[in-house]
Amino acid sequence: MTERYHWKEQRPEPVAWQPTPGKTQRERAEEQDTAAGGRGARHIRLPGGRPVCGSVALRVYPSGRRIYAYLRWSEHGKTRERYVGEVERPTREENLADAWRLVHDAGLLDQTREPDLTTR
């Protein structure tokens, strides 16, 4: 994971954050399951108690040099997301796993209390 505010010399390689082209929806779900530690490790309890399955999106902005991770979920037919943090590993798989650790460390998937899932 990243050390805050250090200068990045160059843009991350696409293999570090972009999904592999041509993957099926099932393969993408398996990629998320593996990174999170299993399908059950991706469940989010929405306010009101309804569980949904979340995913992590990795982004690099057009002129950026950092990989940003966002937790995404669907609520009432709309995609919601919340910024999770920065990741900086050389592969997408490692970055997804790091992002899921950030999600778990932040308690966003804690089933014993309602997490703060307000969009930012």
Side-chain angles (χ1 to χ4, degrees):
M1 287 181 255
T2 65
E3 187 179 307
R4 287 187 76 91
Y5 307 114
H6 67 280
W7 177 255
K8 301 268 189 197
E9 290 296 325
Q10 59 189 348
R11 189 172 171 82
E13 293 295 324
V15 69
W17 61 280
Q18 287 183 346
T20 305
K23 276 193 175 182
T24 66
Q25 185 176 0
R26 181 180 180 152
E27 289 169 329
R28 288 184 193 275
E30 288 172 358
E31 177 185 51
Q32 292 283 332
D33 290 346
T34 300
R39 175 63 59 118
R42 295 175 50 202
H43 288 159
I44 302 167
R45 185 179 304 256
L46 297 177
R50 186 171 74 89
V52 296
C53 191
S55 63
V56 166
L58 300 176
R59 293 196 188 117
V60 174
Y61 292 104
S63 62
R65 296 180 177 153
R66 297 178 184 274
I67 303 170
Y68 300 102
Y70 292 84
L71 177 63
R72 297 171 52 105
W73 67 96
S74 180
E75 186 175 0
H76 304 296
K78 287 189 171 186
T79 300
R80 307 284 186 194
E81 63 181 32
R82 179 176 175 187
Y83 174 74
V84 175
E86 290 181 27
V87 291
E88 63 175 8
R89 301 290 195 121
T91 68
R92 176 175 169 81
E93 292 77 19
E94 291 173 302
N95 283 323
L96 284 174
D98 281 354
W100 276 109
R101 276 191 283 284
L102 290 171
V103 168
H104 288 281
D105 290 349
L108 298 177
L109 304 178
D110 185 353
Q111 297 296 307
T112 62
R113 64 181 173 83
E114 288 191 1
D116 174 19
L117 291 177
T118 55
T119 55
R120 295 180 182 193

